[in-house]
Amino acid sequence: MITAPTCTPGCCGALYVTVRREGERVVWDGWENTGDITAVPMDFHFDAGQYDAELRRAAADRGWEEPVDTVARLLAEILTGSGWFERWGCVLTDVSPRREELGVPEELMDPEGVDVDFHHVSGTGERQAFYRYELYVLPGLPAEEQARRLADHILADDPRRTAEVRYG
């Protein structure tokens, strides 16, 4: 899936493509549009070396990031590399930025921040428990400092005790 609506693909459709390597070529084909407009692009063929170089360049480009994106990315790197969740029998499943939502009244909106989701690996027959940290990003503080501060908060104790239980 390379595009999706703001609701869900099941609601308004999405655009899908198959990407594969064929020797020295990368091919995008097998397009599917599940939305109301069913037009699809033509097949694309790329030189594999140029394609790989462009992927590396795009992955290194952080110019599009807002501060909340940078904090989320850096926090994910710290948490993933720490082994902390595994120590407690948990699996880190997502670290994502939380933005203000358009059209939501200010009094119902959460401030910008980072959500950290994880679950506890349960034994056979046990119900799995899912957890979330809803962390806030402070305007004006450097992203690196904020990521470290948020990581220190999470890494200070058993995450199952300090995070909010989502369900389980």
Side-chain angles (χ1 to χ4, degrees):
M1 179 172 53
I2 62 171
T3 64
T6 54
C7 55
T8 67
C11 176
C12 294
L15 182 62
Y16 299 85
V17 65
T18 299
V19 179
R20 69 178 187 286
R21 286 188 184 268
E22 290 182 350
E24 294 300 312
R25 308 288 301 157
V26 174
V27 178
W28 288 26
D29 66 3
W31 294 90
E32 181 183 4
N33 186 341
T34 61
D36 291 340
I37 300 171
T38 56
V40 295
M42 62 182 192
D43 294 350
F44 291 101
H45 298 259
F46 305 95
D47 173 82
Q50 290 175 331
Y51 190 87
D52 291 343
E54 183 58 20
L55 288 178
R56 284 189 298 276
R57 186 208 60 76
D61 178 8
R62 302 287 181 208
W64 58 270
E65 284 185 338
E66 296 291 328
V68 70
D69 298 303
T70 306
V71 172
R73 178 177 52 82
L74 295 173
L75 180 59
E77 291 171 5
I78 294 168
L79 295 177
T80 300
S82 72
W84 186 251
F85 288 92
E86 294 83 0
R87 175 181 174 184
W88 300 99
C90 297
V91 175
L92 178 64
T93 54
D94 190 35
V95 179
S96 57
R98 183 182 60 256
R99 293 180 172 72
E100 294 180 1
E101 296 179 49
L102 296 175
V104 175
E106 190 173 324
E107 62 273 7
L108 299 177
M109 200 177 325
D110 283 333
E112 280 195 336
V114 177
D115 294 334
V116 176
D117 294 310
F118 65 98
H119 68 270
H120 182 254
V121 179
S122 57
T124 306
E126 294 179 38
R127 229 176 131 166
Q128 236 178 8
F130 293 82
Y131 300 86
R132 172 175 280 178
Y133 286 101
E134 292 181 355
L135 307 165
Y136 300 106
V137 172
L138 303 173
L141 284 180
E144 295 80 7
E145 182 181 330
Q146 292 200 61
R148 173 54 38 208
R149 179 182 58 82
L150 297 174
D152 289 347
H153 169 71
I154 292 170
L155 300 174
D157 199 356
D158 180 345
R160 297 167 300 175
R161 291 180 23 170
T162 57
E164 173 187 332
V165 177
R166 300 295 284 184
Y167 52 92

